[in-house]
Amino acid sequence: MKNNEIIEIRIPKTVDFDTYNLFECGQCFRWINNDNGVYSGVAFDKVARVYKTDCGYRVKCNKGSYEKVWHDYFDLSLDYAEIRGVLSKEPVLKDALDFGRGIRILRQEPWEALVSFILSQCNNIPRIKGIINTLCSLFGEKIHFDGDVFYSFPSAERIAALSDYELNLLRAGYRAKYIKQVAEKAASRELDLELIDKLPTDEARSELKKLSGVGDKVANCVLLYGYHKLDAFPVDVWMRRALEMQKIDFKGFESIKGIAQQYVFHYIRNYNKS
DNA sequence: GTTCAGGTCCGAT
DNA sequence: ATCGGACCTGAA
């Protein structure tokens, strides 16, 4: 038997960390809010639950997985309060930075980010989440945690091996053939996802754009969310709108403009809802 | 019923 | 190089 001991790690209030802003800002699709405000998620084959407490948050996970996965996944070595300070050199960002306090750029799995953002194109969030959830629950590995069953994100080999019938169960439409082709390339090692990590952002982007279903927007999402290349700047319809409304001067923080993008994206989509 | 959603591809200029 | 239409599906 493996060691299934469950532990809890505290994240103090002083840390920029807010589960709603963090998980609902559009960078990830698999964290579920169990209507009592507790978020559960899977990454790198591990499960965590995140609870809000009076003095911040606590992360419930298997012993060892905090050091191995969650600390990095939540990007806890970066001081986002300080980053907000840097980004606020551009006064236009101020409202978005205040509104999105607690957003961090998660360090997600490159493969998951690649597939997820291919599926996201010209699609709405609830349906994207539905497709990815189906993908994982049908073809991922079962993970038991804290009395519940979760599923890992299926490997490239697994997706490459799917029949047309299985692929159709996802109801992903024309995007299905994209992820199938990309999975075949990754499984055959024609696509080396680890190599991309070592490339500078521009070269990494051109490599990704060679893939079917990957254009500038998706490539930048993969770079930002899957490779933590913080200078990647995804421009989608929302960001285009935001940039039309307000010119943003990136001088002084070109190397982390992707973080600015996340705050602006979240703000432009949600500021009128509160 | 219609519109539209975190775009990309492909063929026609 | 740029541009418009096509593309699956199901929320809203």
Side-chain angles (χ1 to χ4, degrees):
Chain A
M1 267 308 265
K2 284 172 66 176
N3 182 2
N4 287 330
E5 188 185 341
I6 290 178
I7 55 133
E8 293 185 346
I9 301 285
R10 302 159 75 93
I11 297 179
K13 250 182 193 162
T14 50
V15 177
D16 255 40
F17 190 102
D18 177 272
T19 45
Y20 179 78
N21 286 343
L22 186 59
F23 296 135
E24 313 282 0
C25 71
Q27 63 178 319
C28 56
F29 302 103
R30 283 230 288 158
W31 283 86
I32 52 172
N33 177 1
N34 317 76
D35 65 26
N36 46 6
V38 180
Y39 278 86
S40 305
V42 182
F44 298 92
D45 301 334
K46 302 292 181 190
V47 182
R49 290 194 205 278
V50 183
Y51 298 79
K52 195 173 175 61
T53 67
D54 291 338
C55 44
Y57 287 92
R58 55 195 166 85
V59 179
K60 191 174 182 183
C61 60
N62 279 321
K63 189 174 184 196
S65 72
Y66 178 77
E67 293 76 7
K68 206 184 298 177
V69 174
W70 299 112
H71 180 84
D72 285 341
Y73 179 84
F74 290 128
D75 201 23
L76 288 167
S77 295
L78 250 190
D79 183 343
Y80 278 77
E82 190 183 321
I83 284 171
R84 280 189 292 111
V86 173
L87 298 180
S88 64
K89 282 178 192 164
E90 167 57 284
V92 161
L93 295 176
K94 189 181 181 313
D95 288 344
L97 292 168
D98 290 341
F99 183 86
R101 182 185 297 233
I103 289 178
R104 319 173 67 79
I105 303 298
L106 299 171
R107 292 175 179 263
Q108 304 182 58
E109 294 180 65
W111 172 243
E112 175 170 343
L114 176 56
V115 174
S116 298
F117 282 93
I118 287 175
L119 292 171
S120 79
Q121 63 184 258
C122 206
N123 211 340
N124 59 61
I125 305 261
R127 202 161 79 92
I128 299 166
K129 288 181 174 175
I131 292 168
I132 294 173
N133 182 54
T134 305
L135 176 67
C136 295
S137 53
L138 288 181
F139 310 120
E141 305 284 338
K142 253 186 197 172
I143 307 170
H144 294 273
F145 177 80
D146 198 25
D148 283 320
V149 176
F150 297 83
Y151 296 91
S152 68
F153 195 89
S155 66
E157 290 74 12
R158 186 73 184 93
I159 295 177
L162 296 180
S163 65
D164 288 346
Y165 173 80
E166 290 174 311
L167 216 46
N168 185 247
L169 296 174
L170 302 177
R171 314 299 294 146
Y174 65 87
R175 306 162 195 84
K177 63 176 183 295
Y178 294 153
I179 66 169
K180 178 83 183 284
Q181 286 177 33
V182 169
E184 285 165 353
K185 278 197 177 183
S188 71
R189 308 298 285 166
E190 182 184 340
L191 165 64
D192 184 347
L193 289 173
E194 288 179 21
L195 174 65
I196 288 179
D197 193 30
K198 301 188 181 80
L199 300 176
T201 304
D202 285 343
E203 289 176 40
R205 186 185 297 107
S206 340
E207 284 307 307
L208 288 169
K209 285 172 73 170
K210 290 177 183 169
L211 301 169
S212 62
V214 180
D216 212 49
K217 156 67 171 61
V218 170
N220 278 313
C221 285
V222 177
L223 292 172
L224 183 58
Y225 309 125
Y227 290 103
H228 212 255
K229 293 189 184 294
L230 301 177
D231 53 336
F233 192 85
V235 178
D236 68 313
V237 289
W238 291 94
M239 192 56 50
R240 210 176 303 283
R241 276 174 219 165
L243 292 171
E244 278 167 12
M245 289 162 63
Q246 199 75 63
K247 188 174 139 36
I248 301 173
D249 183 1
F250 297 105
K251 203 170 62 165
F253 53 85
E254 279 282 343
S255 63
I256 56 168
K257 58 183 185 292
I259 303 180
Q261 177 274 160
Q262 203 60 40
Y263 282 87
V264 172
F265 177 77
H266 183 57
Y267 181 65
I268 191 87
R269 292 199 61 191
N270 297 293
Y271 72 95
N272 54 351
K273 293 178 186 170
S274 57

